[in-house]
Amino acid sequence: MILKASQDLSDSSSIWAKLNWTWAHTFILLQFILQILLLFPEISVLRMPMRIASFALGLLLLVRLPKEHGRHPATYPAFIVMAIMLLQFCLHPHINSVTAGAAQCAMYLAIFSPLFWVRSLKITPYSFESLMFLLWGIHTLSAGFGVLQVYFPGSFQLALSTVIQNSTFGGEQLLITLANGQQVYRPMGLTDRPGGAAAAGFYAFMFGVAIALKNKNPILRIACLGSAGIGLFCIYLSQVRSMLVLAAISMIFFAVVLLRTGQIARLMVMASGVTALFVGTFSWAIAIGGQSTLQRISSLFAASPEEVYQQNRGHFLQHTMENLLPQYPFGAGLGRWGMINNYFGDNTDLVSQPIWVEIQWTGWLLDGGVPLIFAYIIALLLACQTAWKIAVNRKLGNFALWGGLIFAYDIGTVAITFNYPIFMSQGGMEFWLLNTALFVAAANSKILDNKPSRTVQL
């Protein structure tokens, strides 16, 4: 009995050693918990401090964890971005308020923080894979709730965002009409925003496809494909077309990686499987979502991609280039847009009034002008380049597939900047966390396949 208990304890320790739970795992889990807490009416009234806590956690880890090991290549342009923000805070005459300006700088630093604190963690390929499984599980759970919210209206929906409740329309514009004529909110998943399940659906789809390709266990593959199908269903029913385009773009670039590395068998399996998922879940979504879903998705193909984008988000980019750029080439002053202005702004000064922002490029221009845009573009390009190098590095063995996934995810995230200010959200923090964790895990890949110790040069 004692020997068996000792054996069980040893096996348990071995499992935890392989998982190598790190602060990156804890960070992702705490972000999820903070979001879950907002779903309870008693806590949702504390929305502002809860949202602040999500970003403050990154700043806390930045201060607490030692800065060790190699720097991700995007670290240097990140320093430039923060230097530009500091200059804007100190020198720009039209800052909205000291509080809003400081909050804007803190937000940028919080978004970038994983670039600095993640590199201090001992992330191995095993722990990176467990991080991917954690994200996959969280987002699959959220997407699953999104499906239940459509099938059982009102039964699986918790608190609605107080921002939406207090809006002029009370969120009525976020309702959809199902095939049976019933009106429900767009799937929220485990968020407090109608349509919020679309983001979870994207991750469930992406990670589900990658894990299914990487693992041969038939039960796990079935679970992953089911997760991917649920994810796409949520995207269709949420009617967030940008997420659907993002999923397609990411899969195309994932396929490019597989083609470049000569993984033709995997490429064929992925192409056939993903095509079947898109078609099958579309039929499922139309059967449940009815004509409103069909019309919404069909509008993507009603004209050329350029015309569709121009009709929806393109005019925001055009306004930024034609009107705001000549007016604010070096920024409009910090704290003049988004939730930073809503929470901390002082809009009594007519010179520094709020400016409406729908896409990330407008936000970058207002915050730091052309210099900030160029610095952030360089950071994003270096992140994509680093993921690409890992994806095509044959010395990394099977781990390189994660590089391909993150590269595809990076390209999709860059694309979403033309639709949404993602780098002023938790999605921005997650982007830098995943890229830095991938970089650190690749550098620690000497334990792969029980091969002799080596340090991979990226």
Side-chain angles (χ1 to χ4, degrees), residues 88 92-96 101 104 328 330-337 352 355 365-368:
Q88 289 284 324
H92 202 289
H94 301 315
I95 185 173
N96 178 270
Q104 196 88 359
Y328 307 114
F330 297 103
L334 298 179
R336 296 187 62 178
W337 66 278
S352 59
I355 300 175
L365 179 68
L366 297 180
D367 289 338

Side-chain angles (χ1 to χ4, degrees), residues 94-404:
H94 301 315
I95 185 173
N96 178 270
S97 71
V98 173
T99 305
Q104 196 88 359
C105 290
M107 176 71 91
Y108 270 77
L109 184 58
I111 298 295
F112 272 130
S113 64
L115 264 176
F116 305 99
W117 62 260
V118 170
R119 75 178 196 227
S120 69
L121 307 178
K122 295 179 180 178
I123 300 178
T124 65
Y126 293 120
S127 58
F128 183 83
E129 184 161 324
S130 70
L131 183 64
M132 296 297 98
F133 271 90
L134 176 63
L135 280 165
W136 171 62
I138 286 173
H139 290 297
T140 299
L141 180 63
S142 184
F145 265 81
V147 174
L148 293 174
Q149 287 160 359
V150 172
Y151 272 91
F152 306 99
S155 299
F156 291 89
Q157 179 181 308
L158 298 175
L160 186 66
S161 166
T162 53
V163 175
I164 295 174
Q165 292 180 34
N166 297 331
S167 67
T168 305
F169 301 99
E172 293 179 6
Q173 74 277 25
L174 299 176
L175 294 169
I176 58 172
T177 303
L178 301 180
N180 60 10
Q182 188 170 9
Q183 280 198 324
V184 299
Y185 280 114
R186 298 179 185 183
M188 297 167 60
L190 292 175
T191 76
D192 58 356
R193 294 171 292 103
F202 167 73
Y203 288 110
F205 170 70
M206 280 286 293
F207 292 136
V209 169
I211 294 172
L213 283 176
K214 194 174 184 297
N215 293 272
K216 296 181 180 180
N217 186 305
I219 297 177
L220 181 59
R221 281 188 167 181
I222 291 172
C224 289
L225 292 177
S227 164
I230 289 172
L232 280 178
F233 177 83
C234 280
I235 294 175
Y236 283 129
L237 263 293
S238 297
Q239 300 184 6
V240 182
R241 296 172 299 179
S242 60
M243 278 296 175
L244 187 62
V245 173
L246 176 60
I249 290 174
S250 298
M251 282 295 102
I252 289 171
F253 279 91
F254 198 11
V256 169
V257 171
L258 295 178
L259 182 63
R260 170 64 177 78
T261 53
Q263 301 180 67
I264 304 302
R266 270 180 172 166
L267 174 60
M268 298 303 294
V269 170
M270 191 199 79
S272 58
V274 167
T275 301
L277 281 171
F278 269 100
V279 174
T281 52
F282 180 68
S283 300
W284 178 24
I286 298 305
I288 302 301
Q291 288 298 310
S292 64
T293 300
L294 177 61
Q295 293 171 3
R296 180 72 173 173
I297 303 303
S298 298
S299 65
L300 281 172
F301 310 99
S304 67
E306 295 83 1
E307 292 174 329
V308 172
Y309 179 70
Q310 180 62 29
Q311 293 169 4
N312 292 276
R313 285 291 191 269
H315 58 93
F316 293 115
L317 182 61
Q318 183 178 1
H319 175 70
T320 300
M321 299 298 293
E322 295 180 357
N323 300 99
L324 297 179
L325 177 58
Q327 190 175 358
Y328 307 114
F330 297 103
L334 298 179
R336 296 187 62 178
W337 66 278
M339 296 310 294
I340 293 293
N341 179 269
N342 186 44
Y343 288 156
F344 305 105
D346 176 10
N347 299 319
T348 56
D349 187 349
L350 297 179
V351 178
S352 59
Q353 286 293 295
I355 300 175
W356 187 258
V357 170
E358 283 281 348
I359 62 174
Q360 183 66 68
W361 297 84
T362 310
W364 283 332
L365 179 68
L366 297 180
D367 289 338
V370 175
L372 180 64
I373 291 176
F374 273 108
Y376 224 115
I377 288 175
I378 293 172
L380 294 177
L381 288 176
L382 288 173
C384 293
Q385 182 189 50
T386 302
W388 170 262
K389 286 182 177 180
I390 293 171
V392 300
N393 190 335
R394 297 182 184 275
K395 294 181 180 179
L396 294 173
N398 211 27
F399 178 77
L401 188 68
W402 292 122

Side-chain angles (χ1 to χ4, degrees), residues 45-80:
V45 295
L46 302 174
R47 180 182 179 84
M48 177 179 169
M50 297 290 285
R51 286 300 188 197
I52 293 174
S54 297
F55 298 98
L57 180 60
L59 295 175
L60 177 63
L61 292 174
L62 178 62
V63 173
R64 296 284 296 178
L65 294 179
K67 312 303 176 289
E68 301 174 356
H69 308 306
R71 292 177 177 175
H72 189 285
T75 302
Y76 299 101
F79 279 133
I80 296 174

